[in-house]
Amino acid sequence: MSDVLLQIRDLRTSFRIEGKFHAAVDGVSLDIYKNEVFALVGESGSGKSAMALSLTRLHNPLFTRIEGEVLFDGKDLLTLNEAQINKVRGAHISMIFQDPLSALNPLFKVGAQIEESLVYHTNLDKAGRKARALELLEGVGMVNPALTYNQLPHELSGGMRQRAMIAIALACKPDLVIADEPTTALDVTIQAQILDLLRDLQKEMQTSIILITHDLGVVAEMADRVAVMYAGQIVELASSEDLFKNPQHPYTRSLLASIPSMDSHSNKLHVIQGLVPPLQLMPREGCRFSHRTPWVPTDIHEEIPTYHEVGPGHYVLCTCYKEFSFDGEETA
């Protein structure tokens, strides 16, 4: 995986609140490689979805300011005009949203919504577009593609709506799919089916996926590399295998310690103290996780956190990773 598909450089996404802009994504730099599944994990409020929407400029420009660079095919997506970015959306970069019922248009049939991107991004005629839509519906596991083609979103189950969303996202065989919590609203059985489907389609089409989730079980099953995000910053970046075997940042270790385990001899779960700070109160200096790690001495944190390479391709923000003890942690 030596070929870089997408380069994110010093990305900052700020939202206007009471007349002032506050950064929800603050200085993120990442490379996304061709034909990889890249997971972005963190609890709610960490900035994951804000970052995903920034990559294709889907934020409301009246209330959002996006700075930095997002380089794709030699072009900075943040500098393109609306007509130019529309040529990228759907054709080269597409999204799967976490709530398909609100993402799908309730007034249009599923087939028409799949064909919409084909109208804009291909030269297929009407018959060709319908054939492609039926092929996609069959490819995502619809039992009766012809019936689903003519149904409205409310006539489908949650799992079927998510499959329809995947079909729309893959219609033009994009280079990159951003999947924002694609299984959150589904029950466990359907979640497994959707994840299997995404993995199979990714291998078949050799499409890169940015998988946004707070579910570390999904990450372990799907991802090649993982970035752990907290308070708008990437605090740890590693291969999936290395992250689970050798987590370094206190936030990463806290997330992993919070997962129930059948092997654990204790009936208590680790609890991460406190909450992600609201944007208006986000600290701009020092380690942003320091107030939630009372077991880590304050002098271990860096005043200006920098990245440290603790292994090949394994980076950690701030020297607080050197403190491993969970002494004094809160449990429940």
Side-chain angles (χ1 to χ4, degrees), residues 152-200:
L152 293 169
H154 77 270
E155 298 178 279
L156 306 180
S157 68
M160 292 175 71
R161 284 194 290 266
Q162 196 59 281
R163 290 172 187 268
M165 279 292 303
I166 294 172
I168 293 171
L170 297 178
C172 296
K173 299 180 180 180
D175 304 293
L176 174 66
V177 174
I178 303 170
D180 187 5
E181 303 275 10
T183 61
T184 296
L186 306 176
D187 63 57
V188 175
T189 303
I190 303 301
Q191 282 185 23
Q193 293 176 6
I194 296 298
L195 291 174
D196 288 342
L197 173 62
L198 279 175
R199 182 170 51 245
D200 292 343

Side-chain angles (χ1 to χ4, degrees), residues 230 249-251 254 272 287-293 295 301:
Y230 179 77
H249 196 277
Y251 182 58
S254 294
I272 306 176
C287 178
R288 296 184 179 180
F289 194 58
S290 60
H291 73 287
R292 302 179 70 181
T293 53
W295 66 88
H301 296 285

Side-chain angles (χ1 to χ4, degrees), residues 50-317:
M51 175 179 157
L53 294 173
S54 299
L55 301 182
T56 49
R57 305 228 318 262
L58 290 174
H59 288 297
N60 187 332
L62 295 177
F63 304 100
T64 313
R65 184 170 62 200
I66 305 176
E67 301 167 293
E69 292 182 321
V70 178
L71 303 174
F72 176 80
D73 195 24
K75 300 175 183 177
D76 183 0
L77 301 184
L78 302 185
T79 64
L80 302 182
N81 61 37
E82 195 63 23
Q84 292 170 326
I85 194 66
N86 279 336
K87 292 181 179 180
V88 176
R89 297 181 187 133
H92 300 287
I93 303 176
S94 60
M95 284 198 68
I96 301 170
F97 298 94
Q98 60 179 297
D99 183 5
L101 188 58
S102 61
L104 294 169
N105 191 320
L107 303 180
F108 288 87
K109 294 178 180 180
V110 171
Q113 296 191 58
I114 296 174
E115 290 181 24
E116 184 177 11
S117 61
L118 298 174
V119 170
Y120 285 107
H121 300 300
T122 73
N123 295 319
L124 294 173
D125 59 16
K126 185 175 181 180
R129 293 194 298 269
K130 182 174 182 178
R132 174 62 177 158
L134 291 171
E135 176 189 350
L136 286 161
L137 289 171
E138 182 178 3
V140 298
M142 294 296 191
V143 176
N144 190 335
L147 174 63
T148 305
Y149 178 91
N150 289 301
Q151 287 181 306
L152 293 169
H154 77 270
E155 298 178 279
L156 306 180
S157 68
M160 292 175 71
R161 284 194 290 266
Q162 196 59 281
R163 290 172 187 268
M165 279 292 303
I166 294 172
I168 293 171
L170 297 178
C172 296
K173 299 180 180 180
D175 304 293
L176 174 66
V177 174
I178 303 170
D180 187 5
E181 303 275 10
T183 61
T184 296
L186 306 176
D187 63 57
V188 175
T189 303
I190 303 301
Q191 282 185 23
Q193 293 176 6
I194 296 298
L195 291 174
D196 288 342
L197 173 62
L198 279 175
R199 182 170 51 245
D200 292 343
L201 290 173
Q202 186 267 335
K203 290 180 179 177
E204 177 185 338
M205 301 180 67
Q206 296 193 346
T207 294
S208 297
I209 294 179
I210 296 178
L211 178 64
I212 299 170
T213 183
H214 61 266
D215 189 332
L216 290 168
V218 171
V219 173
E221 183 178 353
M222 291 282 294
D224 298 306
R225 291 190 303 140
V226 187
V228 181
M229 194 167 190
Y230 179 77
Q233 298 177 329
I234 302 299
V235 297
E236 187 160 1
L237 173 66
S239 68
S240 180
E241 181 180 6
D242 199 17
L243 187 88
F244 282 92
K245 285 185 177 180
N246 188 30
Q248 293 291 309
H249 196 277
Y251 182 58
T252 308
R253 299 200 301 273
S254 294
L255 288 176
L256 291 171
S258 302
I259 302 174
S261 172
M262 295 294 292
D263 299 326
S264 175
H265 298 293
S266 172
N267 59 359
K268 295 183 178 180
L269 293 177
H270 172 69
V271 175
I272 306 176
Q273 299 184 22
L275 299 169
V276 180
L279 295 185
Q280 302 94 314
L281 301 177
M282 191 71 69
R284 299 303 170 189
E285 297 180 355
C287 178
R288 296 184 179 180
F289 194 58
S290 60
H291 73 287
R292 302 179 70 181
T293 53
W295 66 88
V296 178
T298 56
D299 59 356
I300 287 181
H301 296 285
E302 293 178 305
E303 291 185 9
I304 303 176
T306 57
Y307 287 98
H308 305 269
E309 188 170 13
V310 297
H314 192 161
Y315 298 90
V316 187
L317 184 66

